[in-house]
Amino acid sequence: MRIVAVLLVVSLACVSRLERTVTPRLATVDRAVPFLKVHMKNGDLFVLSAWRADEPHGQVTGSGEQLGADRALVRVGEHRIAMADVALYETNTIVTSPSIAAMAVVTGASIALSIACAANPKSCFGSCPTFYAPGAPGDHGTVDLVLQAEGFSDAISPALETHDIDALWRTHVTDGRLTLRMTNEAYETHVVKRADVLAVLRPPGTRVLSTGEAMWLASAVAAPSGCTAAEGDCTAVLAGVDGRERTSLTDEHDLAARETIDLEFPAAAAPGRTGIVIAARQSLVTTFLLYQGLAYLGTTAVEWLAALERGDAGARRGGRELQRLVGGIEVQIPHGAGWLTVGEAYETGPLATDVHLIVLPDQARGDRVRLRLPKGGWRIDHVARATLDHEVTPQRIAPQAIRGTLGREFAAERVPQAQLPIVTQPGDTYELDYAIPRGEVELFLDTRGYYLEWMRAEWLREEQPLAALKMFLDPAQAMRDLAPAWKRMEPQAEQMFWRSRYARP
């Protein structure tokens, strides 16, 4: 997670079709003060009332004040603003304009929070676009949807738009057809510009693994023969991708404190390049830090995000050290009398377990491996050693059809793929259909886009600009200062997080 993701994420704006209308579900948002703040790429700010979006001409019109980059008054009156010159919109209402919705930060929204979320606003459910896929048929032929991926988790603003590749290891394809369900289950706006399936035909008994940049055919994937962590033997827990997760508690004094897991593997059956496979998801520590950073920023959060959109070097630089302290799962191999880090598995997000491949250096056999990771920072489902044969190129498959709903029933019309991007609001659901090659096939999901987190009114009560500045200037101390607050939440955090979902698939 980028540092700005922790300190600058403000509000999620989801993309939708032009004919989309706001449903009664969004009446939970406070509409008492209709306004629109328009943050410009040159640093100016417009505060408009009685505004409207002129989509055909690419303009926003309204009456109000224009403030300069120093926030001195420039002019009061009627304004016509080119959308192409806008860095970010700020509002406390839901807008139906696709162009504005896709860049609108909802601030100070008064939301009908669930009991779990209201009890502790730092435990509120959050998600990127969430994807469900059909699992293997059960004993009676029934097929359950399995949470398989969350798209572009780091892309918390338009400036951070990126793509994300997630392994669909537990997905079952029937007769060459696959339907994925994409949901928006939190108070966020999602802008989905791409949602392609990557398919690789593979020989029986092999797997295809992704580093995020390259894909490898693996002829053998072996579970560890031994696993030792602080709690003792963890071999059985990490034996397979089965939902049994190895986790731990954070350090009570420092959220950046590390722990290690020592692994042993059987002797490799065949020569070849070796890699370590890690199936894991983050704990809620990163979510807590994100929400706390937003709370500290308070009413200034959108200013920070707008600076990011303008390409401000300081805004981009600010969180790198905090990201390093939050940390991924380092893969280490023996080196002299100690251990050498040769790679790291990292992906932001506490929802879906993803499968990562760390390719070891040439000649490294991986008989003994150590994982180094932040205490309480990760939930690890599986670790394995893979014998890698060669890199492979996947077939890219775009959705043949997209069906959307604003309520509980899917619309009858089939939306052509050319209608992407899709903007979604809380509770929206889409189904995406794909034609998959027949045979033994490995599947991945490649998504591109960004999202905006909605600011909760409850967070604004904790606005402390100096504490926010400290997270930038001395993140190591911030990780120590925030440890007690997280420890008070930790025992109930996971349960409260899932109970506070805005919508359920």
Side-chain angles (χ1 to χ4, degrees), residues 486-497:
W486 169 252
K487 289 300 289 185
R488 290 192 293 270
M489 290 177 52
E490 191 172 30
Q492 299 85 27
E494 185 88 3
Q495 181 184 28
M496 294 174 69
F497 178 79

Side-chain angles (χ1 to χ4, degrees), residues 278-290:
I278 301 175
R281 62 186 176 102
Q282 282 188 322
S283 73
L284 293 171
V285 173
T286 303
T287 301
F288 165 74
L289 290 171
L290 166 62

